[in-house]
Amino acid sequence: MFRFLLTRKKTDCYPEFVSMYDLIVIGAGIGGYPAAIRGAQLGAKVLIVEKAEVGGTCLNRGCIPTKALKATSEMLDGLHRLGEFGLSGRVEVSVDMNKIVQRKNRIVDELVKGVHFLLRSQGVTLKSGAVTFLSKNKVRITSRGGASETAESKGFIIATGSSPAGLPGVEPDGSRILTSDQILDIDTLPKRLIIIGSGVIGTEMAFIFRSLGVDVTLLEMMPRPLPSEEEEISRLISRSFKKVGIKLKTQVRVARIDIRDDVSVYLDNNEVVNADRVLVAVGRKINTGELGLGALGIKLGKQHEIMVDPFFNTGIDNIYACGDVIGGMMLAHVAYKEGITAAANLLGSEKRSINYRAIPYAIYSSPEAASVGLTEGKARDMGFEVRTGVFPYRALGKARAYSETDGVVKVVVDGDTQKVLGMHVVGPHATDAIAQGAMAIQNDLTVRSLSDTVAAHPTYAEAVMEAAEDVFSRAIHQPRIMTKEQSGGN
Ligand code: FAD
Ligand code: NAD
């Protein structure tokens, strides 16, 4: 087992000439920077190297900028419903994409500056450049200008993430054909947008741009949108697409694209769809190409992801990896947890893994969808004696008050032990409500922990408490099915 004595005590200062680090983290995304900070907290002398922007995809081109745009689109959705809330009069709204992007950039800048500050405050050294391994203890760092230097370390964590995947014959030009990175910085809204791929990115972008007034067409090669999600979630999202006017074509592949006045997308069923711009959202490719891992004997999987053991070790005793670069659940909170766990495993005496069954998944559609743990079907397939409880948002006081009644919470429980196996929420604030399910599964709690914990009133959390009660048919705000006589003959 790899163990080393840490060079640094928390309060030590280092003279510049000491170039040997305890830990070099490669990539300063949401996997890398927490790993570097945890390393420093554990007393290691840490260098983090980033070839582009600190904060990586999540802060600069992913979670945060998309949610900043989503916030604008939701504000606009709200304005269309003023009458429902007893407000009348004329509100003149024009969509200024430049200002929307400026707001997004301000939010990103503040968060990126925050990460720079955190790294500095923990004594982590930051260098700019692309890293390539020269040996298991030595890397070359090449700056954008081409200058290079070497650095040595006892241990490494690779956190180089992923980038937008392409489609053969469809070359993003940043103007008419865009990646998910590029669409976040457009200065004018297209009238018509085609999105190739209705996975998570395609779906989230479709709702954002539709709310901003764009005519959106989604093209998906599989039979349903969000094909890697539960069928029920796909069905509910398809219904929402229809409701807001997002056009969806499934089981179609792009044959070729012509760019003239319009962008014409020719499909394999001989249909042609025209738009002003096209977004390609067909998945991610793993960033392992320039690391020089082959010479070290680090194994890569089919998608070029780094193969690691449950403790995030690559098979080379002093080299660990975390985040999108190891494939699996390519999510920010997963990268974060893997990063701090990998740092502790590399530097500490105890090895830990992660309970992926307790990782929540959130889709920022309209309404939101979120899940954690097993679905009812999966739990049955695994042989559990399943019991479920369901509670609709429309029975919640808060949902009524805010006119947000389109949603449902479902809990999946092992009938033998009463342990919570899964939770699934579709509806406003689903991405927050799911935290209760993650807490229950992570801590192996029974469904009674959900029904016995009193939720404040009025909140959406009450739906979780009531869904848990519904497992025993005891939800207070769920009517019993009445006989004709009981219902007064109606
Ligand atoms: P990254 O964030 O990709 O960071 C890797 C860093 O390594 C990059 O900064 C890169 O420049 C650097 N790097 C690469 N190669 C080298 C090298 N050789 N030398 C030095 N540096 C290098 N996830 C969620 O959980 N919730 C969301 O709402 C969400 N929304 C998303 C929306 C979009 C549009 C996208 C694209 C992704 C979204 N994700 C979301 C996914 C999430 O962003 C990623 O899972 C997460 O950023 C992965 O973090 P990471 O640190 O592993 O990799
Ligand atoms: P994805 O794998 O979720 O979806 C890609 C979609 O494109 C799939 O539905 C696929 O069938 C379709 N597709 C592939 N090739 C196609 C073709 N030739 N023609 C038509 N359709 C095609 O990938 P993504 O949407 O790019 O997202 C990448 C990752 O980013 C996700 O896996 C997710 O982990 C992460 N992400 C997470 C969130 C979130 O947590 N809210 C948000 C955005 C992204």
Side-chain angles (χ1 to χ4, degrees):
M1 187 174 69
F2 171 73
R3 297 277 293 112
F4 54 73
L5 281 178
L6 298 176
T7 321
R8 173 190 170 196
K9 286 200 196 76
K10 213 173 171 203
T11 48
D12 279 350
C13 282
Y14 283 95
E16 275 305 302
F17 56 82
V18 179
S19 63
M20 180 74 165
Y21 292 93
D22 293 320
L23 169 62
I24 294 181
V25 178
I26 308 167
I30 189 94
Y33 80 76
I37 289 175
R38 180 52 48 89
Q41 288 169 338
L42 291 171
K45 181 187 179 190
V46 184
L47 168 69
I48 187 165
V49 189
E50 169 56 56
K51 74 171 187 178
E53 300 90 3
V54 164
T57 305
C58 175
L59 259 60
N60 296 283
R61 300 172 292 279
C63 329
I64 300 301
T66 51
K67 275 65 202 183
L69 298 190
K70 177 91 181 139
T72 297
S73 70
E74 282 182 356
M75 181 76 74
L76 194 52
D77 288 341
L79 292 179
H80 294 311
R81 300 178 60 197
L82 290 180
E84 259 180 72
F85 292 81
L87 302 170
S88 55
R90 284 172 64 86
V91 182
E92 294 280 339
V93 182
S94 57
V95 176
D96 183 337
M97 204 56 210
N98 251 319
K99 289 206 171 126
I100 293 172
V101 170
Q102 277 169 23
R103 171 180 178 274
K104 180 268 291 179
N105 288 344
R106 266 198 312 279
I107 293 163
V108 169
D109 281 353
E110 282 162 16
L111 288 170
V112 170
K113 276 190 193 129
V115 176
H116 276 276
F117 173 70
L118 286 174
L119 290 170
R120 259 200 323 277
S121 78
Q122 296 283 352
V124 175
T125 306
L126 168 68
K127 286 190 184 208
S128 178
V131 170
T132 309
F133 277 93
L134 299 173
S135 72
K136 65 175 266 198
N137 288 108
K138 192 171 183 182
V139 290
R140 185 174 52 234
I141 304 170
T142 309
S143 74
R144 251 184 221 172
S148 80
E149 60 177 308
T150 58
E152 291 181 40
S153 180
K154 294 172 187 169
F156 292 87
I157 295 177
I158 304 170
T160 48
S162 66
S163 316
L167 265 185
V170 180
E171 201 52 53
D173 57 8
S175 149
R176 310 296 293 277
I177 304 183
L178 307 166
T179 63
S180 64
D181 293 355
Q182 293 162 338
I183 200 164
L184 295 170
D185 285 321
I186 55 175
D187 51 9
T188 52
L189 268 186
K191 278 201 172 58
R192 296 159 303 164
L193 174 68
I194 292 172
I195 303 180
I196 307 176
S198 74
V200 203
I201 294 180
T203 297
E204 291 189 359
M205 294 287 191
F207 281 110
I208 290 170
F209 283 96
R210 181 69 199 124
S211 293
L212 294 177
V214 176
D215 179 339
V216 177
T217 306
L218 271 168
L219 305 176
E220 170 58 52
M221 69 178 184
M222 301 300 279
R224 57 187 178 91
L226 293 168
S228 52
E229 303 305 316
E230 269 306 293
E231 275 200 60
E232 181 63 3
I233 290 188
S234 276
R235 199 181 56 75
L236 289 168
I237 298 295
S238 297
R239 209 172 68 186
S240 298
F241 283 158
K242 236 184 221 151
K243 196 166 155 191
V244 301
I246 294 168
K247 292 169 231 161
L248 170 70
K249 291 180 189 295
T250 53
Q251 291 182 289
V252 291
R253 278 174 186 270
V254 174
R256 69 187 170 88
I257 295 189
D258 253 11
I259 304 180
R260 297 195 187 172
D261 287 344
D262 272 353
V263 186
S264 302
V265 178
Y266 292 78
L267 304 179
D268 57 356
N269 62 2
N270 296 326
E271 253 187 277
V272 186
V273 197
N274 294 304
D276 312 302
R277 280 175 156 164
V278 172
L279 166 65
V280 182
V282 293
R284 308 277 297 168
K285 64 171 193 280
I286 309 272
N287 297 331
T288 38
E290 62 187 338
L291 288 168
L293 300 179
L296 293 180
I298 289 179
K299 288 201 186 79
L300 301 184
K302 277 193 187 136
Q303 313 292 324
H304 303 286
E305 75 278 18
I306 296 177
M307 308 294 282
V308 291
D309 69 11
F311 309 107
F312 310 106
N313 181 262
T314 61
I316 307 293
D317 59 358
N318 65 325
I319 306 180
Y320 283 61
C322 67
D324 281 11
V325 77
I326 64 170
M329 296 173 102
M330 291 166 73
L331 299 171
H333 42 291
V334 173
Y336 163 85
K337 186 70 180 168
E338 290 173 347
I340 55 178
T341 309
N345 288 347
L346 174 71
L347 299 166
S349 53
E350 204 186 324
K351 300 253 182 275
R352 286 183 174 227
S353 188
I354 290 177
N355 178 9
Y356 287 96
R357 213 166 54 75
I359 299 283
Y361 197 94
I363 303 173
Y364 294 80
S365 42
S366 302
E368 294 179 352
S371 50
V372 60
L374 300 178
T375 59
E376 181 181 349
K378 182 84 181 149
R380 286 195 199 287
D381 290 349
M382 289 170 72
F384 286 102
E385 190 60 48
V386 175
R387 296 188 68 167
T388 60
V390 175
F391 195 78
Y393 270 37
R394 65 172 181 279
L396 282 181
K398 180 156 185 181
R400 291 272 176 181
Y402 282 80
S403 292
E404 295 181 326
T405 51
D406 202 5
V408 67
V409 173
K410 177 174 177 179
V411 288
V412 180
V413 174
D414 176 353
D416 284 339
T417 62
Q418 298 197 358
K419 296 262 170 75
V420 178
L421 298 174
M423 185 189 289
H424 311 277
V425 189
V426 177
H429 315 287
T431 56
D432 293 309
I434 203 66
Q436 294 180 76
M439 166 78 94
I441 295 174
Q442 173 68 26
N443 294 291
D444 228 10
L445 302 180
T446 67
V447 67
R448 289 196 187 274
S449 65
L450 296 178
S451 57
D452 288 353
T453 305
V454 179
H457 176 73
T459 56
Y460 290 95
E462 288 173 295
V464 175
M465 182 177 73
E466 295 257 23
E469 292 276 28
D470 185 52
V471 172
F472 308 103
S473 305
R474 284 199 315 230
I476 297 297
H477 296 94
Q478 192 81 292
R480 268 176 57 195
I481 298 169
M482 292 186 282
T483 60
K484 221 171 182 180
E485 294 78 57
Q486 285 170 324
S487 66
N490 296 318

